[in-house]
Amino acid sequence: MSKAILCVDDEKIIIVSLIEQLRERFGNQYLYEMAMSGEEALEIIDEMVEFGVSVILIISDWLMTGMKGDELLIRIHQKYPNTVKVMLTGQADTKAIDNARENADLKAYIAKPWDKNILMDKIGSLLEGIDNE
């Protein structure tokens, strides 16, 4: 079964930069997908699962048009509880982060602008945990 990482942000330049960094670090071990909204992310995950792709990691912004990141991660957690969830944002308030930790099993919160090495090391350790299960 193929494994995918989904990046969700309403700013395309952020997603493109993030996917470039992921590819540079992890190569072709994973599929890399992008969504520009929470609604689009939910559709993509369902489609990928239908085609036998396991979405193992979600990296989501918090402040997006429409659905906020904590709500997205909670909805994903309700349907796909084993998907690892990371919030990458410069806008989230403490309440939203706590909400995602309590209700979506948020594994990491990383502030924008991010340090590439810190982010990739954190993602790497989360992916190791998944691959070792």
Side-chain angles (χ1 to χ4, degrees):
M1 177 180 278
S2 297
K3 296 178 183 179
I5 297 172
L6 177 62
C7 301
V8 187
D9 199 300
D10 57 358
E11 291 184 59
K12 190 168 186 174
I13 193 164
I14 298 290
I15 297 175
V16 170
S17 175
L18 183 55
I19 289 176
E20 277 179 19
Q21 291 176 13
L22 289 164
R23 271 203 178 100
E24 182 181 307
R25 177 73 177 260
F26 304 107
N28 294 323
Q29 287 178 264
Y30 307 101
L31 300 172
Y32 305 100
E33 293 292 330
M34 66 172 84
M36 305 262 316
S37 70
E39 292 82 6
E40 184 182 9
L42 293 170
E43 289 173 18
I44 288 172
I45 292 169
D46 287 342
E47 286 174 12
M48 293 179 80
V49 168
E50 264 184 58
F51 288 105
V53 176
S54 177
V55 181
I56 60 170
L57 181 77
I58 304 284
I59 304 170
S60 178
D61 189 15
W62 175 69
L63 186 60
M64 297 182 287
T65 307
M67 189 184 311
K68 298 282 187 271
D70 56 333
E71 180 186 344
L72 169 64
L73 297 178
I74 290 167
R75 288 180 63 183
I76 290 169
H77 185 69
Q78 289 168 344
K79 198 164 183 182
Y80 305 104
N82 294 328
T83 299
V84 174
K85 289 149 294 278
V86 174
M87 194 178 294
L88 177 67
T89 185
Q91 303 289 331
D93 61 14
T94 306
K95 186 176 177 183
I97 295 164
D98 289 344
N99 186 33
R101 282 192 176 121
E102 291 172 23
N103 298 302
D105 193 25
L106 182 70
K107 294 297 185 192
Y109 159 73
I110 297 167
K112 289 180 186 173
W114 66 89
D115 176 285
K116 176 177 141 180
N117 293 324
I118 291 172
L119 177 61
M120 291 302 119
D121 287 349
K122 183 63 182 175
I123 299 296
S125 68
L126 291 170
L127 290 171
E128 277 181 26
I130 296 167
D131 291 337
N132 291 330
E133 287 180 355

